[in-house]
């Protein structure tokens, strides 16, 4: 398996596509459909502009990417898998210890296809959600980051489409076509998971999406990287490498928003910063509440027989599976989860194998909390005596055991009337969204920033912040 990626091919790859004519032709058939989807559903405008993009050239640890100005449609989307470890064995479930699979055992086809389709569906969905954001970018630096994320989500779609074509025959090809036929928010053909049908129409939402929703991607890909199906594992391993930048955009971006708000709060000695054109802390908190809660839904139900079946079959593990100190089979274990019983919080013991979604969600929540601490440090540095926080995990949930319950961000159980009364203080209102939208005006001069966001500390790939990241 070559680490180096072959760019002389029509479809850049390191899976030796040249030697498999049927597969290559099938993918070459799909390629123009992808191009059509990109032009119809991808970023609006800017398609003829040169953008300073990172392209993968190698899947090894060092120097895996190179940067250059590329027009978006000319980006070289391709198929890159991490190197194969011939000694790799299944790390969990009933088949723990056996060699991993290079082909799919018949009995697991349907479940694996489902997992790959769900993963694949989110990638183009996010590009569709973000397609208008270029019109209101707060700087060229941010505009470039948006497009970097968009092209890489496109590549992650290619990654899943490769698996569907290479391992699932006719069904796989049909699923690959369907990935371009569902669209985010389409009432007749929506994307599969809830969060991917929400609007990402302003940059504050975008930054929170990359912080919270891309981080779900990190945890789901991490869990699929543990898979006994080795090509899926290796695909996810390489996707995770690209994903890190997406979460950086969110974490650093939100930090810049908080910093700018603090500057204005101090300058005018007020919490009421809207007259000065920046985002007030209560609005920021409401946006956090929204994006965190819809992203929690992406982990599925707290107790899930689907997840138990995936785990016992070795199809999908937990994030950093080896770091768990249990037996990685989980049949004789119990795990406690918090539930509301008769209007009160109660700890219930459940078979551990049924709560792996919840375990994954807990790792995710711990990771999300790190960013909050970082943003709160900025508030501290500016001497501002307020803090941002993650809402309670049962707050505003549409999936799982907390669906339909009324739980405040502090974890207090309330009745529906109280909930309705509190809501405008907990989630963004129409007026909040209108205010945030009113701030979204494009700034396309190199090095300049919109008023509501501080400049980044450094540029991309050692370039200065005022570099011409997009040649307009
Ligand atoms: N919305 O047993 P349950 C990313 C369905 S993000 C709508 O609780 P399970 C990215 C579920 O499908 C990562 N439906 O759930 C980020 C099931 O339906 P069926 C994406 C939902 O199966 C940013 C039923 O409810 N990757 O990469 O244990 C930008 C019962 O479900 C939702 C993955 O998700 C929902 N939120 O777990 C770009 C990994 N939740 O089968 C990219 C692959 C559940 O009864 N997917 N349902 O018809 C999975 O591992 C699992 O499908 C889930 C659900 C974790 C999503």
């Amino acid at each position: 398996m070559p680490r180096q990626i072959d760019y002389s091919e029509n479809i850049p790859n390191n899976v030796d596509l040249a030697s498999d004519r049927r597969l290559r032709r099938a993918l070459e058939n799909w390629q123009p459909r992808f191009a059509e989807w990109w032009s119809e559903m991808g970023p609006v405008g800017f398609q003829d502009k040169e953008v300073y993009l990172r392209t993968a050239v190698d899947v090894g640890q060092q120097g895996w990417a190179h940067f250059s100005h590329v027009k978006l449609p000319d980006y070289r989307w391709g198929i890159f898998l991490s190197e194969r470890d011939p000694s790799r064995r299944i790390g969990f479930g009933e088949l723990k210890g056996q060699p991993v699979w290079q082909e799919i055992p018949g009995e697991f086809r349907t479940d694996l296809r489902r997992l790959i389709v769900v993963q694949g569906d989110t990638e183009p969905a996010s590009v569709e959600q973000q397609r208008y954001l270029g019109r209101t970018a707060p700087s060229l630096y941010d505009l470039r980051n948006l497009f970097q994320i968009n092209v890489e989500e496109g590549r992650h779609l290619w990654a899943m489409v490769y698996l569907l074509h290479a391992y699932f025959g006719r069904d796989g090809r049909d699923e690959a076509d369907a990935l371009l036929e569902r669209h985010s928010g389409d009432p007749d053909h929506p994307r599969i998971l809830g969060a991917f049908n929400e609007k990402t129409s302003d940059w504050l939402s975008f930054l929170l999406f990359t912080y919270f929703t891309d981080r779900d991607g990190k945890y789901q890909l991490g869990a699929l990287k543990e898979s006994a199906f080795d090509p899926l594992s290796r695909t996810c391993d390489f996707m995770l490498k690209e994903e890190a930048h997406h979460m950086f955009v969110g974490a650093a971006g939100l930090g810049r928003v908080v910093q700018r708000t603090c500057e204005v709060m101090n300058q005018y000695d007020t919490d009421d910063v809207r007259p000065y054109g920046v985002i007030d802390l209560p609005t920021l908190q409401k946006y956090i509440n929204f994006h965190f809660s819809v992203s929690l839904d992406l982990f599925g139900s707290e107790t899930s027989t689907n997840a138990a079946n995936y785990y016992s079959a070795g199809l999908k593990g937990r994030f950093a599976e080896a770091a768990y100190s249990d037996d990685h089979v989980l049949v004789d274990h119990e795990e406690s989860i918090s539930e509301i019983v008769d209007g009160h919080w109660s700890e219930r013991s459940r078979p551990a194998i049924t709560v792996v979604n919840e375990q994954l969600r807990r790792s995710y929540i711990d990771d999300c909390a790190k960013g909050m601490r970082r943003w709160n440090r900025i508030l501290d540095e500016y001497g501002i005596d307020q803090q941002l926080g993650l809402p309670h995990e049962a707050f505003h949930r549409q999936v799982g055991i907390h669906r339909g319950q009324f739980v405040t961000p502090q974890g207090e159980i309330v009745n529906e009337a109280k909930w309705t009364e509190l809501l405008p203080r907990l989630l963004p209102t129409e007026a909040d969204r209108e205010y945030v939208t009113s701030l979204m005006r494009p700034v396309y001069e190199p090095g300049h920033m919109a008023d509501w966001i501080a400049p980044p500390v450094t540029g991309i790939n050692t370039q200065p912040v005022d570099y011409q990241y997009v040649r307009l």
Side-chain angles (χ1 to χ4, degrees), residues 114-115 118-119 122-123 126 153 192-194 196 209 213-214 216-217 220-221 224 243 297-301 303-307 310 316 357 399:
R114 170 85 187 154
L115 286 170
V118 172
Q119 179 62 49
T122 63
E123 314 291 359
S126 68
E153 301 302 7
I192 298 170
L193 299 177
F196 292 90
F209 182 95
T213 309
D214 277 276
D216 168 53
Q220 298 294 344
L221 291 171
L224 293 173
E243 200 69 38
D297 281 341
L298 293 172
F299 289 81
S301 189
T303 56
S304 162
T305 46
N306 282 348
Y310 299 154
K316 181 182 175 192
N357 280 347
V399 171

Side-chain angles (χ1 to χ4, degrees), residues 206-346:
F206 170 67
L207 297 174
L208 287 161
F209 182 95
T210 52
Y211 188 78
F212 287 115
T213 309
D214 277 276
R215 194 171 306 274
D216 168 53
K218 167 181 168 184
Y219 280 82
Q220 298 294 344
L221 291 171
L224 293 173
K225 180 186 147 181
E226 302 292 338
S227 183
F229 177 41
D230 203 39
L232 174 62
S233 167
R234 286 164 45 215
T235 304
C236 291
D237 187 55
F238 189 66
M239 288 162 77
L240 278 165
K241 206 171 210 172
E242 292 172 318
E243 200 69 38
H245 173 68
H246 307 185
M247 285 172 293
F248 159 81
V249 167
L254 238 289
R256 291 161 56 207
V257 176
V258 173
Q259 181 188 334
R260 185 69 194 123
T261 299
C262 290
E263 286 167 5
V264 172
M265 285 172 81
N266 283 354
Q267 186 180 352
Y268 297 98
D269 192 18
T270 180
D271 290 354
D272 181 19
V273 290
R274 284 199 184 184
Y276 308 103
V278 299
I279 300 165
D280 50 296
L281 293 177
T283 301
L284 217 46
Q285 181 64 60
K286 288 192 236 179
Y287 271 72
I288 290 171
N289 291 351
F290 176 78
H291 286 273
F292 181 63
S293 57
V294 299
S295 299
L296 288 183
D297 281 341
L298 293 172
F299 289 81
S301 189
E302 283 70 6
T303 56
S304 162
T305 46
N306 282 348
N309 292 337
Y310 299 154
Y311 189 85
S312 78
L315 308 183
K316 181 182 175 192
R318 293 167 292 180
F319 189 84
E321 179 66 44
Y324 282 83
S325 58
D326 51 36
D327 67 358
H328 307 277
V329 184
L330 303 183
V331 278
D332 302 322
H333 291 257
E334 298 268 308
E335 192 55 44
S336 97
I337 58 170
S338 300
E339 290 178 49
I340 298 176
V341 180
D342 299 330
H344 296 282
W345 286 110
S346 147

Side-chain angles (χ1 to χ4, degrees), residues 338-392:
S338 300
E339 290 178 49
I340 298 176
V341 180
D342 299 330
H344 296 282
W345 286 110
S346 147
E347 290 291 317
R348 281 263 182 110
S349 203
R350 299 276 184 181
I353 197 159
T354 64
V355 299
V356 290
N357 280 347
E358 181 58 10
Q359 288 184 310
L360 197 58
R361 183 171 12 241
R362 283 181 201 159
S363 326
Y364 166 82
I365 293 173
D366 291 345
D367 202 26
C368 288
K370 288 183 195 153
M372 303 303 298
R373 286 199 287 275
R374 174 176 170 170
W375 304 331
N376 282 332
R377 268 202 302 277
I378 300 172
L379 290 163
D380 289 343
E381 280 160 20
Y382 280 83
I384 288 166
D385 188 18
Q386 294 179 47
Q387 296 274 279
L388 296 165
L390 292 178
H392 191 277

